[in-house]
Amino acid sequence: MAEPDSTAAEGIAGSTFPGPYPVGVYAAQLKRRLLDFARVQIVGEVWGLRHSHARVYFELRDSRGALPCSMWLSDFEALGVMLTDGVRVVVGGGCDYYPGSAASSPSFTFAVSELRIAGEGDLLVQLERLRRQLHAEGLFDPQKRLARPLLPRTIGVVTGERGKARDDVLAGLRRRGWEGRLVWAFAPVQDRHAAPRIAAALRELAALQEVEVVIVARGGGSLADLFAFCDEGLCRTVALLRVPVISSVGHHTDRTLIDDVAAVACSTPTHAAEAAVRIDCRAARADLTASARRLEVHGRRTILARARTLAQLSRAPAAHVARHRRHLHQLVRELRASARRGVSAGQELAGVHMLVLGRKASVAALERERNATVLQARAAALRRVSDATSGKRARDLERLRLALAARDPERTLERGYALVQDAAGEPLTSAADARDARDLAIRFHDGFVPARVSDPEAES
Amino acid sequence: VSERSYETAIARVEEIIRRLDSGEAGLRETLELVKEGRELVEYCATELEAVGRGLEELRLDELVARLEAGVREER
């Protein structure tokens, strides 16, 4: 160490330590000493990875300690590795110390000159490569394009038989009020046999026509534990399955490959169950009841409203027809009376003539023939008058018959109106009458439909 | 109709009710909509009933065995 600076402050009274030395001198000494430390390889997990314009900074951590590390950006980029937090790496290098200055902070760092990804880090690299490959093949999409039922009747679940995930799925379904059919396909969820067994379970579930959606659930674990769910074969199976798969593997921080290929990835098995049944069944029942009520109200209200309108409409033609019918009946009566009068008057007259003729016959035999002729002529004239009257009346009758037919209520009914009648067949022309009658017959052009006023007070 | 799902049925029921509420539907349309709505509500009720009779839990291997036995019986 250099001699203490004579311009520096005096030392601490009573201290046995040498100095005081200027900090820059001490820092430079420290740097030299640290550089003498042996250069070694160190293994740990990467944390807090960040870049500056020239260097990459991160910490290496394990359960017993941590070390700040840095690496020249150019060296790091030359390695061509993808680093993320949590990746286990082996680094080679040695201690270094930046002594700082009046304007900058000092820092200690393990200067990394070599680096390789190790252990699970190797898995992550593989995983990342596989993820890119499956994505490039378009295998992330097919599941997302499948229609997911809002309310499945049957749900398949692939999970460990004794895992907590099983209870979580049941809890999620309970929360939805769903009590359909659940098909459990139990499979190992973490050893090296797991992936093919899970894939087989999925294929078997999908082969059952009734299974509409499948949940794959597993609780949290280390990446190695969850690696079964990153298996290429399993992921390809899921991607091409006919039923939508809802995955819930590990915790929300973990992302396995099955999460990428599945239709939906959920953070917990409970959420997965809720994603499988997307509605609250209890609320849906209440909503449906309300919908049914609204339909009934509309149906009833429309029929009543239309019945009122029809009653009003039907009153008009009915009154018109009745008036014409009365008029027609009157005409027919007059016609008949008139025809009777015409004939009987003719007969009376003929009788008188016959009497006179008879009396005069003995007196004036010569006149008999003439008188008979006169009589015949008169009778013929009388017949003509009678016939002409009848013909005119008949024509009037036909004209009125046609007018009546044009206003026939049957025609009106054929046009889509209906007539409401009571049990005795009397037309009802007001809602009040209909309510009083209770039992109704709705007359369409092609027949009757019995009806009953369900609640006569409802629309009053 | 073969592709009918709870989702489409419920959506149609809501559409029908909106149309009826609008008051724009004539007599014939109203009656037809009410009829269609009733059928859909019935379908939805059946679907809801199917998931409301108590949870039925089956093991895949049991179910497969049962189905295979059924197939053998049919033969």
Side-chain angles (χ1 to χ4, degrees):
Chain A
M1 184 75 56
E3 284 301 306
D5 189 338
S6 56
T7 62
E10 281 181 27
I12 298 162
S15 172
T16 56
F17 299 151
Y21 304 104
V23 65
V25 174
Y26 184 83
Q29 282 280 355
L30 178 62
K31 180 181 170 77
R32 269 199 295 280
R33 289 290 287 273
L34 284 170
L35 286 173
D36 287 343
F37 263 55
R39 294 174 70 78
V40 292
Q41 292 184 42
I42 296 175
V43 63
E45 281 183 8
V46 173
W47 280 99
L49 182 76
R50 67 190 197 281
H51 296 244
S52 76
H53 64 282
R55 293 179 86 86
V56 180
Y57 297 94
F58 56 91
E59 288 174 19
L60 273 193
R61 289 184 176 182
D62 68 14
S63 57
R64 286 186 291 185
L67 188 69
C69 298
S70 71
M71 191 172 186
W72 289 110
L73 191 58
S74 52
D75 290 351
F76 177 71
E77 284 175 347
L79 291 172
V81 296
M82 294 281 288
L83 271 196
T84 51
D85 281 5
V87 175
R88 201 168 155 80
V89 294
V90 179
V91 297
C95 292
D96 194 4
Y97 182 75
Y98 170 64
S101 68
S104 62
S105 300
S107 65
F108 168 81
T109 182
F110 186 86
V112 175
S113 55
E114 300 164 349
L115 182 148
R116 70 170 289 270
I117 289 167
E120 283 188 351
D122 291 336
L123 293 182
L124 276 174
V125 170
Q126 284 173 29
L127 181 59
E128 206 47 51
R129 196 180 299 134
L130 186 55
R131 191 187 302 260
R132 276 197 295 269
Q133 187 186 336
L134 295 178
H135 188 41
E137 287 180 35
L139 291 176
F140 287 6
D141 302 328
Q143 274 277 318
K144 275 127 196 131
R145 283 199 295 265
L146 292 176
R148 265 197 305 141
L150 194 65
L151 183 68
R153 283 183 175 211
T154 304
I155 300 175
V157 185
V158 181
T159 190
E161 188 162 6
R162 273 173 281 280
K164 186 177 171 297
R166 182 179 178 179
D167 295 332
D168 290 349
V169 167
L170 286 172
L173 293 175
R174 240 191 329 272
R175 213 185 282 179
R176 287 290 199 214
W178 186 90
E179 295 177 339
R181 175 180 272 197
L182 202 54
V183 184
W184 295 106
F186 297 118
V189 288
Q190 67 177 40
D191 61 36
R192 64 194 178 85
H193 304 296
R197 296 275 295 276
I198 294 164
L202 280 168
R203 277 192 295 268
E204 282 183 31
L205 281 173
L208 296 171
Q209 201 56 43
E210 59 180 307
V211 172
E212 292 167 82
V213 60
V214 177
I215 296 170
V216 178
R218 189 207 188 282
S222 71
L223 183 62
D225 286 345
L226 301 180
F227 215 69
F229 294 92
C230 300
D231 178 81
E232 185 174 352
L234 172 60
C235 289
R236 287 180 184 278
T237 299
V238 169
L240 302 175
L241 219 57
R242 81 164 174 90
V243 289
V245 172
I246 298 170
S247 71
S248 166
V249 176
H251 297 304
H252 62 281
T253 48
D254 308 315
R255 187 151 184 98
T256 54
L257 263 187
I258 200 173
D259 291 332
D260 290 316
V261 293
V264 186
C266 294
S267 54
T268 67
T270 310
H271 287 142
E274 288 176 330
V277 181
R278 287 183 289 147
I279 53 168
D280 184 313
C281 298
R282 286 173 289 255
R285 269 180 210 109
D287 289 348
L288 191 65
T289 307
S291 293
R293 279 210 194 96
R294 285 214 63 67
L295 282 173
E296 290 313 308
V297 165
H298 273 295
R300 206 167 56 232
R301 186 181 293 162
T302 306
I303 287 166
L304 285 171
R306 294 297 164 150
R308 272 198 295 273
T309 313
L310 279 175
Q312 281 162 5
L313 289 172
S314 68
R315 251 199 306 278
H320 197 69
V321 168
R323 203 164 54 243
H324 275 273
R325 185 174 278 158
R326 276 196 304 276
H327 183 55
L328 185 65
H329 282 166
Q330 171 122 19
L331 287 173
V332 169
R333 270 198 304 277
E334 282 173 13
L335 181 66
R336 282 189 188 138
S338 156
R340 264 200 310 277
R341 267 201 308 278
V343 172
S344 63
Q347 281 169 347
E348 229 174 84
L349 192 59
V352 170
H353 279 291
M354 290 291 278
L355 194 67
V356 171
L357 197 64
R359 282 178 189 166
K360 286 183 178 175
S362 56
V363 181
L366 279 175
E367 280 186 7
R368 183 190 287 167
E369 226 177 291
R370 191 170 58 88
N371 280 341
T373 311
V374 169
L375 181 66
Q376 277 164 4
R378 283 183 181 174
L382 190 65
R383 265 199 309 277
R384 276 199 301 279
V385 169
S386 177
D387 285 350
T389 309
S390 298
K392 182 177 179 300
R393 295 294 164 134
R395 279 195 299 281
D396 283 345
L397 187 62
E398 175 62 12
R399 190 166 51 76
L400 286 161
R401 193 186 64 74
L402 289 172
L404 186 63
R407 289 167 178 82
D408 192 330
E410 288 298 338
R411 293 279 177 82
T412 311
L413 292 178
E414 276 167 18
R415 290 207 304 272
Y417 292 103
L419 196 59
V420 180
Q421 301 180 333
D422 65 13
E426 284 299 318
L428 295 172
T429 57
S430 73
D433 289 351
R435 274 196 294 279
D436 289 343
R438 299 296 298 265
D439 284 304
L440 309 174
I442 300 171
R443 183 175 166 197
F444 295 91
H445 74 91
D446 58 348
F448 285 89
V449 176
R452 186 170 171 80
V453 178
S454 60
D455 180 3
E457 302 307 318
E459 291 293 315
S460 60
Chain B
V1 178
S2 61
E3 279 299 303
R4 188 196 279 186
S5 69
Y6 183 85
E7 192 163 14
T8 57
I10 277 294
R12 178 65 184 146
V13 167
E14 280 164 8
E15 191 183 322
I16 285 172
I17 287 174
R18 269 200 304 279
R19 174 71 184 156
L20 291 175
D21 284 346
S22 77
E24 287 167 6
L27 175 64
R28 187 177 292 270
E29 190 190 351
T30 298
L31 294 177
E32 277 169 5
L33 288 176
V34 168
K35 180 167 177 281
E36 186 189 351
R38 279 196 191 125
E39 282 171 15
L40 290 169
V41 163
E42 209 162 291
Y43 164 78
C44 291
T46 311
E47 291 299 299
L48 278 170
E49 201 194 330
V51 298
R53 284 186 294 237
L55 189 70
E56 184 191 0
E57 292 185 69
L58 287 167
R59 290 178 65 114
L60 177 62
D61 41 8
E62 291 166 358
L63 184 60
V64 169
R66 194 196 294 178
L67 291 172
E68 280 172 354
V71 169
R72 272 198 298 278
E73 263 171 40
E74 273 173 29
R75 282 173 192 167

